[in-house]
Amino acid sequence: MPDDIFGDALPQALRPSRKRQLRDSDQRNRQQRITDCLHDPLFHEMAELLPAQAYRGRPREYPAVVYVLLSALMTVTGSKRSAVGSLDPQQWRSLRASVRRHSGRIAASRLPDSPPSRGQYLDAEERVLAPNIDLMQDLFEQHAVQQALFPPDAVRNWSRPERRQLLVGDATVPKPPSKAEQRVTIDPVTGEIREHRVDPAARLYFENGEKEKRPARGTKWFFASARDDGYWRRVILSVRHVAGGDYEDEAAVAVRAFTQLGRILPGCMGVAYDGAFRGVHRDALARLGLLVINLQHGSVVPRAYELLRPGRCRHDLWSANGRIAERVLLDDGTSTLLPVPITRLEHRKGVTKSRWYHLLHIPCRHGAHSHRVPVAITTTPDDRTGTHPDTGSRIKSDVERGFHRAEHLQQIPEGTLTHQQLYPYRSDAESVHSQFDKSLWNERMISYGLERQKVFALGFAAAQNATSRRLFLERPPIVQAAA
């Protein structure tokens, strides 16, 4: 289809490989990542949000910034005990220097000669960090937005967005810290009563799509991120807990996160997500002026859309595979659907919402026709609709005619070269999940309860961003300016 702006999809054998070999300079060992966290000012600003020490009772021996840093270091080392043990005398001197640099000499002089114990951190996690995790998360997201490289003055090509202009996201279910699902069990043979520690936040979820549902027990976490080309150039922008077990709950959390990010990132053009997004989710984001690149749901079947009669010809238009296709009769009496070439993807930004259109080039033996079709947004009776050019009557909205436009017509159709090039960016979300699983001890959460697990998830995202920030600052000034 040479006239189509999105191009024809390539077969698997002809797709170019975009993998890049990992170099030694791209690797980051544990000590380097610990140093990255110690030099990140975000943790000191988080500590300023925490409540001051009470006048009564035993005062805290360590300032709050020590515990905030340990919440990030335990995601680097894999456990709380190893995070405390990783602060050797040299690292402890580095932490003291960091406190001196951000809080002054008096605060640094009050630090003990050795790091806190695991028990002291657990007490601080329960009394200080977990009750104020929402304040810390808001500050983290503000810093992440400033760190993300979304150039607002970059050229916008809606049919060919760049990787650095897209958000990606997905949710994962790590295993709970305990396999036990009941607090008390009775041995059927001996009658022995056994008590177990159960994670109160764990519940049952389903993964791998609606066709191949795989049960997974734990807590579900959604991550939204953005990145430029290269390793350690990813910035995690949002971390959210998914309370419900259905796919609609995950998609609702993702839409809320992308909506918030899309409004404060002027250079963001769209998002890439998996099949959990349905038409209602595309509609919400498309109204904000964002592209949504994801796969069509398997339940979406072709449907008659419109019958055009421009003069002597007749064109039967259908919606199929996320785009408009023409139904053509064959010699044997059957029919087939041929995709209609799209010459332009139009974005019209309004005061309260955006509109999206496909400008079609309909081939015809009497001369090609141009036809504009709205996409991505299912209109309602409250939306402004046009009038029929011949009769002047009001055109019914999609809801009134029973057509879910956002479900049937994508902004970038699935079976195109552009979609084939953009959708693999979503796999970067799987890379975030892989790093998250590697930060767990024995691939299980190392905290019980939702609030404590929020501390761990936020510490993981902050530690990842600290390394990305450090490597960005180590680049030559010319490279930083170009980014």
Side-chain angles (χ1 to χ4, degrees), residues 120-135:
Q120 288 174 311
Y121 171 77
L122 290 175
D123 182 71
E125 184 184 58
E126 179 181 1
R127 299 176 181 271
V128 181
L129 300 181
N132 301 279
I133 188 60
D134 293 334
L135 295 175

Side-chain angles (χ1 to χ4, degrees), residues 44 46-68 70 92 106-107 109-112 114-117 119-132 136:
H44 296 269
M46 283 183 175
E48 294 178 358
L49 297 176
L50 301 179
Q53 298 183 10
Y55 292 102
R56 296 182 180 181
R58 181 179 179 181
R60 293 200 299 264
E61 188 175 358
Y62 295 87
V65 65
V66 176
Y67 302 116
V68 176
L70 285 176
W92 188 248
I106 298 178
S109 63
R110 293 175 180 174
L111 282 174
S114 59
S117 63
Q120 288 174 311
Y121 171 77
L122 290 175
D123 182 71
E125 184 184 58
E126 179 181 1
R127 299 176 181 271
V128 181
L129 300 181
N132 301 279
M136 298 168 61

Side-chain angles (χ1 to χ4, degrees), residues 214-415:
R214 181 176 62 85
R217 185 174 178 274
T219 50
K220 198 169 192 177
W221 301 97
F222 165 80
F223 294 93
S225 62
R227 70 172 302 162
D228 201 351
D229 294 332
Y231 293 96
W232 288 112
R233 298 191 183 182
R234 179 196 303 120
V235 178
I236 299 178
L237 297 167
S238 181
V239 183
R240 306 288 175 88
H241 172 250
V242 181
D246 298 329
Y247 287 103
E248 291 80 4
D249 300 313
E250 173 192 336
V253 172
V255 168
R256 286 195 295 268
F258 289 141
T259 299
Q260 180 181 356
L261 293 172
R263 290 172 176 170
I264 58 181
L265 289 171
C268 177
M269 293 181 59
V271 303
Y273 211 78
D274 58 11
F277 269 8
R278 298 296 300 270
V280 64
H281 310 114
R282 297 182 200 163
D283 183 284
L285 296 177
R287 288 174 182 267
L288 296 176
L290 296 176
L291 289 170
V292 181
I293 298 107
N294 79 317
L295 300 178
Q296 278 287 80
H297 199 267
S299 62
V300 180
V301 297
R303 173 172 172 172
Y305 176 74
E306 185 179 7
L307 181 62
L308 292 181
R309 294 181 178 270
R312 295 177 296 173
C313 53
R314 177 182 181 274
H315 300 279
D316 190 8
L317 302 183
W318 286 57
S319 63
N321 300 322
R323 63 187 302 165
I324 293 296
E326 183 176 2
R327 181 172 174 265
V328 179
L329 298 178
L330 303 179
D331 295 338
D332 57 359
T334 62
S335 62
T336 184
L337 296 177
L338 298 179
V340 177
I342 303 171
T343 59
R344 186 179 180 185
L345 173 62
E346 293 185 355
H347 172 229
R348 298 182 181 180
K349 185 175 182 181
V351 178
T352 58
K353 69 174 183 178
S354 294
R355 292 180 175 87
W356 299 86
Y357 299 90
H358 281 173
L359 185 61
L360 305 179
H361 180 79
I362 304 176
C364 181
R365 61 191 179 94
H366 299 291
H369 308 285
S370 295
H371 186 58
R372 181 178 284 105
V373 174
V375 297
I377 295 178
T378 304
T379 58
T380 64
D382 297 333
D383 295 327
R384 179 173 62 85
T385 57
T387 57
H388 198 279
D390 297 331
T391 62
S393 60
R394 174 181 171 274
I395 300 176
K396 292 184 178 181
S397 65
D398 295 331
V399 175
E400 292 172 320
R401 60 182 290 201
F403 180 66
H404 200 336
R405 187 180 301 271
E407 187 78 26
H408 287 270
L409 298 179
Q410 296 175 285
Q411 295 155 305
I412 299 179
E414 180 177 340

